[in-house]
């Protein structure tokens, strides 16, 4: 049962989410709820071809259609210097196609009309003369010397985008040369899409009289969007107000700036009126930031007893037509080099080559922690391949290789410094809770009867909290985050942060942090995020960074307020400042029992009875530059049964033991874990965005791209260990993405474990029933 919000000392308590009443009663306000007078509607014409030259676009019929006010093409945007826009990974992307199109559903032209229906109808009247060009969908083929060059705008005349490496090549070669055992596995992490319930959209409102642009957008990073729009449009940054209203799910899909946003702004600038653009489901899946699409080869060098020595990873990253991954500047492949995971490797070497293909752009989204999903999946999968090869129990293999508790802070061979962890404890708890030994016995009995039951373990390490200013920036802007707290005369608080939640519960958890520090209840604190006119600058919510960065800023900002409050309390208590003691809910005077003042008393005095020499009011701002990232971890175990007749997998049990350090709100963390596991389950079993050889996107809707229903979703069991972060002010680590980072490997490991008697060592996701049915059939099981 959730507790009331009115309790004092709310830290660590499962108080009910403050945002739920409005979400549950349909009183949320999303971008499509923004309806303003004289607003026009925009629709976008998209390419039917994956690669084609544009010979001519005729917009005259569309322009003459009822209600149509404006038709824009790439040529029109070029005149405004808006035909191309920068991506967050240092590439450039076409806003509306100029000369050619590079993926199916690419933005070609836009119509602005009085109604959405009129705009969409007029799209049909635009005539585009395409000359189809050869299509490249396979990233390996894209690298062949005779492959057609997709990006003619670049100086480099190949489809290779960049090469990135990490670790020590030579040392790793040496370790591999001398190793008694080497396993090698090709692993694909398929192309998927976060597919939030609410697709992307915006309302651009340029006021020709004031020169101000108000831009409503469903955004995870409103300040970043404002900066990008200022750089692109030339409108001074303070004349742009970005408002991100309630966000109906982000999952990384709402970090980037999409062409539609730029076109809507351009249209509003041209017409001087409001222009709304809301995507369809198909536009969302087929054109906005996809996730993963990594082709990986992993090798582990080990001793006969399973002790791992070296790790070698080679990856081809398919980025589609533009490198639009939202990554910190220094990490073109995100934090993929966390791939040594929870294990103490002597040496590691990781290489990633990024490639252009005729597919939708993107690359970082879907609860990915900047590509940690791919890394965790790869190492957890390959550790199981090693266990199988050496006939060592996968739990035992992990115990033999864990970074030990006393090795923290631990420097990984690719250069990360893990802050804290206790992997052994977490896996032990998971094994006990699930009844591992019993399950293995049951499995042995079932195997003897020819049944296929599997147990899959994943003991992942996450890396979140981007990040420290010396290594982390986006477009040059350092990845700190911020909080501003205002305590009003009656002791009620408004706090604003530089992040922007999308369902994670910040209005509750950040109120808990501030209330805890100020001796108030969470009910006394209103959290506001998402309005660049009021919130301090911050880089936004993604990569599970809000708690590690803005959460830290909130705690330290509140402490700054408490320091000032102490001065006022001293005045009220009529003692010296050094004699004032804070006990968590009130200030009292040392040696004077019974005499105390609360933060509410102090707040009132801050406006009514300020001592000489103290500035009136009770407000503070804090910009937090994290000293390091935080490294949450977890031990997940899946138990599956496979139906021999159909190949269908039933997830009988799934236990997630997470360690995200000190927990602010256990219920919210559990909710995050449930959601992330459901998405991990979807990726493991049902999600994929394939393309045919002509570059047609084969899953641009929810008929072909599956989102699990409550009926499909297994029952989740959760538990927790607590290893606080030593450098975070409240010892917390992020958690939002852990379940999606850790779970796919547990599912696949379980299914492979079930099929291992047949000699199966790996199956690529998604584990559709037909794939398993085929394997069973090949082994004569279900004939
Ligand atoms: N929390 C806590 N104690 C901790 C850690 C976190 O109580 N030790 C709470 C936080 O205070 C916050 C929530 O758990 O209310 C998630 O916190 P955190 O791990 O800091 O992650 P962020 O708030 O930065 O959220 C981002 C993360 C990402 S990157 C994706 S993707 C994702 C996710 O959150 N998208 C989501 N969870 C989502 N949940 C919903 N409902 N909708 C999305 O779009
Ligand atoms: Cu990578 S999805 Mo989350 O970081 O917004």
């Amino acid at each position: 049962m959730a507790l009331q919000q009115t309790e004092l000392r709310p830290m660590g308590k499962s108080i009910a989410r403050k945002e739920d009443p409005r979400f549950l009663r349909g009183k949320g306000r999303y971008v499509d709820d923004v309806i303003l007078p004289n607003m026009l509607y925009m629709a976008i014409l998209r390419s039917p071809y994956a690669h084609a030259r544009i010979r001519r676009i005729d917009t005259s019929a569309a322009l003459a259609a009822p209600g149509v006010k404006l038709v824009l093409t790439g040529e029109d945007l070029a005149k405004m210097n808006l035909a191309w826009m920068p991506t967050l990974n240092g590439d450039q992307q076409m806003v509306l196609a100029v000369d050619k199109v590079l993926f199916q559903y690419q933005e070609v032209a836009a119509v602005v009309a009085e109604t959405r229906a009129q705009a969409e109808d007029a799209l049909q009247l635009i005539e585009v003369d395409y000359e189809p060009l050869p299509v490249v969908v396979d990233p390996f083929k894209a690298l062949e010397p005779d492959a057609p060059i997709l990006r003619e705008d670049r100086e480099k005349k190949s489809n290779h985008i960049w090469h990135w490496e990490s670790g020590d090549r030579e040392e790793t070669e040496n370790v591999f040369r001398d190793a008694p055992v080497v396993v090698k596995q090709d692993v694909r992490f398929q192309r998927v899409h976060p597919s939030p319930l609410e697709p992307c959209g915006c309302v651009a409102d340029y006021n020709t009289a004031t020169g101000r642009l108000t831009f409503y957008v469903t955004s995870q990073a409103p300040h970043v969007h404002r900066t990008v729009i200022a750089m692109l449009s030339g409108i001074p940054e303070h004349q742009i107000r970005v408002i991100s209203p309630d966000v109906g799910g982000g999952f990384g899909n709402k970090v980037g700036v999409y062409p539609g946003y730029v076109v809507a702004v351009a249209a509003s600038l041209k017409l001087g009126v409001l222009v709304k653009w809301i995507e369809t489901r198909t536009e969302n899946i087929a054109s906005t930031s996809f996730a993963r699409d990594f082709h990986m080869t992993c090798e582990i060098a080990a001793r006969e007893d399973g002790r791992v020595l070296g790790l070698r990873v080679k990856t081809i990253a398919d980025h589609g037509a533009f490198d639009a991954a939202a990554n910190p500047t220094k990490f073109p492949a995100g934090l993929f080099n966390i791939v040594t995971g929870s294990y103490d490797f002597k040496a590691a070497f990781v290489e990633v080559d990024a490639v252009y293909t005729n597919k939708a752009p993107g690359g970082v989204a879907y609860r990915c922690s900047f590509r940690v999903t791919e890394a965790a999946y790869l190492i957890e999968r390959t550790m199981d391949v090693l266990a199988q090869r050496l006939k060592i129990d996968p739990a035992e293999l992990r115990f033999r290789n864990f970074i030990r508790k006393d090795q923290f802070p631990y420097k990984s061979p690719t250069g990360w410094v893990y802050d804290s962890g206790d992997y052994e404890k977490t896996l032990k708890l998971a094994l006990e809770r699930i009844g591992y030994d019993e399950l293995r016995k049951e499995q042995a009995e079932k195997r003897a009867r020819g049944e296929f039951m599997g147990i899959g373990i994943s003991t992942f390490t996450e890396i979140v909290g981007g990040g420290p200013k010396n290594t982390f920036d986006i477009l040059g802007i350092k990845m700190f985050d911020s909080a501003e707290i205002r305590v009003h005369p009656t002791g009620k608080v408004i706090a604003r942060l530089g992040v922007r939640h999308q369902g994670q519960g910040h209005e509750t958890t950040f109120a808990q942090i501030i209330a805890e520090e100020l001796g108030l209840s969470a009910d006394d604190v209103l959290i506001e995020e998402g309005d660049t006119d009021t919130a301090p600058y911050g880089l936004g919510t993604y990569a599970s960074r809000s708690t590690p960065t803005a959460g830290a800023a909130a705690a330290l900002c509140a402490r700054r307020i408490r320091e000032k409050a102490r001065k006022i309390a001293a005045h009220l208590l009529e003692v010296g400042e050094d004699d004032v003691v804070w006990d968590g809910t009130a200030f009292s005077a040392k040696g004077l029992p019974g005499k105390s003042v609360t933060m509410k008393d102090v707040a009132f005095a801050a406006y009514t009875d300020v001592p000489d020499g103290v500035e009136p009011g009770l407000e503070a701002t804090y910009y937090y530059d994290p000293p390091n990232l935080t490294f949450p971890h977890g031990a997940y175990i899946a138990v599956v049964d496979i139906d021999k007749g159909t190949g269908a997998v039933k997830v009988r049990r799934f236990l997630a033991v997470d360690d995200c350090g000190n927990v602010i709100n256990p219920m919210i963390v559990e909710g995050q874990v449930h959601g992330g596991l459901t998405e991990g389950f979807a990726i493991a079993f049902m999600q994929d965005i394939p393309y045919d050889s002509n570059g047609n996107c084969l899953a641009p809707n929810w008929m072909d791209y599956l989102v699990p229903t409550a009926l499909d979703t297994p029952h989740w069991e959760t538990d927790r260990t607590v290893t606080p972060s030593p450098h975070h002010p409240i010892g917390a680590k992020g958690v939002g993405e852990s379940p999606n980072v850790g779970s796919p490997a547990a599912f696949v490991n379980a299914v492979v474990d079930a099929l291992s008697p047949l000699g199966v060592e790996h199956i690529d996701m998604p584990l559709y029933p037909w794939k398993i049915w085929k394997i069973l059939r090949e082994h004569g099981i279900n004939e």
Side-chain angles (χ1 to χ4, degrees), residues 31-32 198-203 215-219 245 254 258 260-261 276-279 284:
V31 68
D32 203 17
E198 178 204 34
C200 298
C202 67
V203 177
F215 189 63
Y216 304 86
V217 61
T218 174
S219 169
K254 289 156 182 185
Y258 295 117
Y261 299 163
K276 179 188 258 190
W277 170 65
I278 305 287
E279 271 179 351
N284 181 256

Side-chain angles (χ1 to χ4, degrees), residues 291-553:
R292 326 289 193 260
D293 218 343
F294 260 29
H295 299 252
M296 308 173 279
T297 302
C298 184
E299 291 172 277
I300 296 181
R303 294 192 321 220
E304 303 276 2
D305 64 358
R307 184 74 181 86
V308 298
L309 303 167
L311 181 72
R312 202 156 51 190
V313 177
K314 244 178 146 25
T315 292
I316 297 293
D318 185 343
H319 277 256
F322 306 97
D323 185 9
N327 268 328
T329 308
K330 288 206 174 68
F331 303 93
L335 314 186
F336 182 67
N337 60 340
I338 190 76
V339 65
T340 53
S342 308
Y343 314 108
D344 191 12
F345 282 92
K346 263 195 185 147
F349 185 64
V350 183
E351 288 176 279
V352 184
D353 286 279
V355 182
Y356 290 121
T357 57
N358 290 119
K359 298 181 196 168
V364 176
Y366 207 175
R367 270 188 144 127
C368 65
S369 291
F370 297 131
R371 300 228 184 258
V372 184
T373 34
E374 291 90 328
Y377 176 61
L378 185 66
I379 185 65
E380 289 306 314
R381 189 72 276 284
T382 317
M383 284 299 275
D384 261 41
V385 173
L386 177 68
Q388 201 174 335
R389 207 66 72 77
L390 294 175
K391 299 192 168 52
I392 299 173
D393 180 276
E396 175 56 29
L397 183 81
R398 284 170 169 82
F399 282 125
R400 285 184 200 170
N401 288 297
F402 277 149
I403 298 159
R404 292 185 324 271
K405 193 176 152 192
D406 60 15
Q407 284 176 281
F408 292 93
Y410 168 84
K411 183 145 200 247
S412 84
T414 53
W416 298 109
V417 179
Y418 295 18
D419 61 345
S420 65
D422 190 344
Y423 301 148
E424 202 177 301
K425 180 169 157 191
T426 307
L427 179 55
K428 271 193 178 145
L429 174 63
L431 295 176
E432 264 165 41
R433 261 211 58 174
I434 200 114
Y436 190 68
D437 295 339
E438 283 306 306
L439 286 169
R440 284 287 177 208
K441 268 185 216 142
E442 181 192 338
Q443 184 186 41
E445 287 163 22
K446 290 205 162 142
R447 273 191 185 161
R449 294 202 297 268
E451 290 172 35
F452 295 91
M453 165 189 166
I455 306 162
I457 299 176
S458 166
T459 48
F460 63 96
T461 288
E462 246 271 66
I463 166 171
V464 298
K469 73 172 187 318
N470 293 338
T471 32
F472 279 74
D473 72 85
I474 284 184
L475 296 174
I477 302 163
K478 306 296 184 183
M479 292 183 70
F480 52 78
D481 225 291
S482 60
E484 181 214 79
I485 301 176
R486 299 181 176 183
V487 186
H488 302 294
T490 56
K492 302 293 178 186
V493 179
I494 292 184
R496 300 186 170 107
L497 295 95
V499 290
R500 207 301 163 240
H501 63 99
Q502 318 119 44
Q504 293 91 343
H506 292 183
E507 289 170 34
T508 310
T509 48
F510 291 159
Q512 285 177 264
I513 294 177
I514 292 167
E516 177 77 22
E517 297 290 340
L518 296 182
L520 299 170
S521 82
D523 209 27
D524 295 326
V525 184
L526 178 78
I527 300 290
E528 250 188 44
E529 297 176 351
D531 183 340
T532 56
D533 262 14
T534 57
Y537 204 98
L539 281 251
T541 290
Y542 42 84
S544 309
R545 66 186 293 278
S546 303
T547 306
T549 61

Side-chain angles (χ1 to χ4, degrees), residues 450-454 640-651 751 754-755 768-770 772-774 776-777 781-782:
E451 290 172 35
F452 295 91
M453 165 189 166
V640 304
D641 298 298
I642 295 176
D643 183 293
K644 277 190 280 190
T646 62
V649 177
K650 168 126 185 76
V651 178
V751 170
L755 299 174
Y768 292 129
W770 64 260
I772 293 164
W773 180 85
K774 227 174 119 213
L776 292 168
R777 194 167 187 85
I781 304 293
N782 55 8

Side-chain angles (χ1 to χ4, degrees), residues 130-353:
Y130 292 103
E131 174 194 337
L133 295 170
V135 171
V136 189
V137 289
D138 180 331
F140 294 93
K141 290 207 174 120
L143 287 175
E144 285 171 6
D146 59 344
I149 305 296
L150 305 187
R151 290 288 300 278
E152 293 158 40
D153 58 299
R154 290 171 88 234
E155 251 169 54
K156 188 167 160 181
K157 292 301 167 226
S158 95
N159 296 318
H160 182 259
I161 314 175
W162 42 256
H163 172 86
W164 178 71
E165 54 185 57
S166 176
D168 191 325
R169 185 196 293 265
E170 214 171 299
E171 201 190 337
T172 308
E173 298 295 317
N174 290 339
V175 166
F176 269 84
R177 195 172 312 118
D178 303 333
V181 180
V182 172
V183 294
K184 182 173 182 176
Q185 184 62 54
D186 287 335
V187 175
R188 171 93 201 282
F189 206 132
Q190 78 274 25
R191 181 176 270 245
V192 289
H193 192 282
S195 212
L197 210 51
E198 178 204 34
C200 298
C202 67
V203 177
D205 176 11
Y206 183 69
N207 185 318
T208 48
T210 61
R212 260 211 131 194
L213 172 72
T214 308
F215 189 63
Y216 304 86
V217 61
T218 174
S219 169
Q220 295 177 227
H223 284 98
V224 177
H225 282 191
R226 187 183 63 176
T227 302
V228 171
I229 291 168
M231 282 159 45
L232 263 169
S233 67
I235 302 171
E237 197 166 2
H238 66 291
Q239 285 284 61
I240 302 172
R241 177 181 189 183
V242 173
I243 299 174
S244 175
D246 284 331
V247 179
F251 307 110
N253 189 225
K254 289 156 182 185
V255 176
V257 172
Y258 295 117
Y261 299 163
V262 180
V263 187
V265 169
S268 185
L269 278 171
K270 267 198 129 116
L271 297 170
V273 290
L274 290 101
V275 175
K276 179 188 258 190
W277 170 65
I278 305 287
E279 271 179 351
T280 62
R281 175 62 52 202
T282 290
E283 289 182 288
N284 181 256
I285 300 181
S287 77
T288 64
S289 190
F290 74 90
R292 326 289 193 260
D293 218 343
F294 260 29
H295 299 252
M296 308 173 279
T297 302
C298 184
E299 291 172 277
I300 296 181
R303 294 192 321 220
E304 303 276 2
D305 64 358
R307 184 74 181 86
V308 298
L309 303 167
L311 181 72
R312 202 156 51 190
V313 177
K314 244 178 146 25
T315 292
I316 297 293
D318 185 343
H319 277 256
F322 306 97
D323 185 9
N327 268 328
T329 308
K330 288 206 174 68
F331 303 93
L335 314 186
F336 182 67
N337 60 340
I338 190 76
V339 65
T340 53
S342 308
Y343 314 108
D344 191 12
F345 282 92
K346 263 195 185 147
F349 185 64
V350 183
E351 288 176 279
V352 184
D353 286 279

Side-chain angles (χ1 to χ4, degrees), residues 616-643:
L618 200 53
E619 302 185 355
T621 307
Y622 200 102
Y623 276 73
Y624 182 74
D625 173 29
N628 188 7
L629 295 117
T630 67
F631 295 74
H633 70 275
Y636 291 179
I637 304 181
V639 185
V640 304
D641 298 298
I642 295 176
D643 183 293

